[in-house]
Amino acid sequence: MTTETPDSRSNQTERRRGRPRRDPAQAEARNRLLRSGLEHLTESGYSAIGIDQILRHAGVPKGSFYHYFRDKEAFGLALIEAYQTYFVDLLDSALDDESLGHVDRLRLFVRRATDGMARHDFRRGCLVGNLGQEMAALPESFRAELIAVFEDWQQRTARCLSQARAAGEIPQAADPQALAQFFWIGWEGAILRAKLEQGPEPIRLFADLFFSMLKEGEPNR
């Protein structure tokens, strides 16, 4: 015979009323789909990739795909979110590195991101940049999401550059917001060119010019 206390009955009621626990196998299947999607879309593009190709690569049956995602549009939006989570970790791990000066933190990000492309022989680019180039053929729901991601990266970078200005690492006349915007516009172009040429030289050229420009405090407003 089991004796129930008021607390134990309350806990059982809370478990029954709570959301059901997600099956770990289902969560893993969804993660495999997202990983496969990120790999394909950073290398090719949204329009060039079919759901069947993603499913085969992920080893997930078609019925499971529609269990997690309403359609390809919903899948694409989930990929933007997943890529943002990954990329913010990469960016913040460099920009928050207190062992370095603020400008050197941005240099560290450039080096790590370049190394990441090199590991895949420069075949994979930036998911957000790739989708931005395809925007004319994409669902309109993607536009605001992509803009928000770019603005988030820009604000994180502007904050780092503001700290660099306060520390005297860049001229007081420098405009951190303008510099951050300029960095991400140039960075996406460099990534596209590096992927096209399958080599790091476009990134190195852009980075060298950007950090030289930082010493002069331009662009400013």
Side-chain angles (χ1 to χ4, degrees), residues 131-200:
L131 292 176
Q133 294 174 60
E134 293 186 79
M135 191 59 231
L138 298 184
E140 186 60 29
S141 61
F142 285 26
R143 187 181 304 276
E145 297 298 322
L146 296 173
I147 291 173
V149 169
F150 277 132
E151 289 180 345
D152 179 69
W153 298 352
Q154 182 176 314
Q155 290 305 314
R156 292 171 191 272
T157 306
R159 183 167 59 248
C160 181
L161 292 171
S162 293
Q163 294 166 347
R165 185 177 63 181
E169 297 177 31
I170 62 176
Q172 291 300 305
D175 183 336
Q177 288 288 345
L179 286 167
Q181 185 176 19
F182 182 85
F183 176 84
W184 286 106
I185 291 172
W187 175 260
E188 289 300 325
I191 294 298
L192 171 63
R193 187 71 176 267
K195 184 181 174 186
L196 176 65
E197 297 181 6
Q198 295 188 324

Side-chain angles (χ1 to χ4, degrees), residues 27 77 84 94 104 138 141 155 167 193 205 212:
L77 292 170
Q84 166 71 341
D104 285 340
L138 298 184
S141 61
Q155 290 305 314
R193 187 71 176 267
L205 176 61
S212 294

Side-chain angles (χ1 to χ4, degrees), residues 173-180 182-183 210 213-214 217-221:
D175 183 336
Q177 288 288 345
L179 286 167
F182 182 85
F183 176 84
F210 178 81
M213 185 183 66
L214 275 187
E218 296 178 355
N220 52 53
R221 292 175 179 172

Side-chain angles (χ1 to χ4, degrees), residues 24-189:
Q26 291 184 345
E28 175 56 26
R30 185 179 189 277
N31 289 336
R32 288 205 308 272
L33 286 168
L34 290 173
R35 286 195 298 269
S36 179
L38 289 172
E39 290 178 22
H40 281 85
L41 267 68
T42 51
E43 187 168 336
S44 299
Y46 182 89
S47 301
I49 297 299
I51 295 301
D52 289 342
Q53 188 174 351
I54 299 291
L55 292 168
R56 285 195 302 271
H57 183 262
V60 174
K62 195 165 189 176
S64 294
F65 177 88
Y66 291 105
H67 175 73
Y68 301 117
F69 308 104
R70 181 185 67 255
D71 50 25
K72 189 179 179 183
E73 178 178 352
F75 182 54
L77 292 170
L79 288 174
I80 295 171
E81 181 181 0
Y83 189 81
Q84 166 71 341
T85 298
Y86 151 76
F87 199 85
V88 163
D89 284 345
L90 175 67
L91 184 59
D92 284 353
S93 69
L95 299 188
D96 294 340
D97 189 337
E98 296 182 355
S99 71
L100 299 173
H102 296 91
V103 172
D104 285 340
R105 298 178 194 187
L106 192 54
R107 291 182 187 273
L108 177 61
F109 161 74
V110 170
R111 185 166 65 251
R112 287 177 175 173
T114 305
D115 289 346
M117 288 193 72
R119 283 195 295 273
H120 300 288
D121 300 318
F122 292 89
R123 290 180 291 103
R124 297 181 186 174
C126 171
L127 176 80
V128 177
N130 287 355
L131 292 176
Q133 294 174 60
E134 293 186 79
M135 191 59 231
L138 298 184
E140 186 60 29
S141 61
F142 285 26
R143 187 181 304 276
E145 297 298 322
L146 296 173
I147 291 173
V149 169
F150 277 132
E151 289 180 345
D152 179 69
W153 298 352
Q154 182 176 314
Q155 290 305 314
R156 292 171 191 272
T157 306
R159 183 167 59 248
C160 181
L161 292 171
S162 293
Q163 294 166 347
R165 185 177 63 181
E169 297 177 31
I170 62 176
Q172 291 300 305
D175 183 336
Q177 288 288 345
L179 286 167
Q181 185 176 19
F182 182 85
F183 176 84
W184 286 106
I185 291 172
W187 175 260
E188 289 300 325

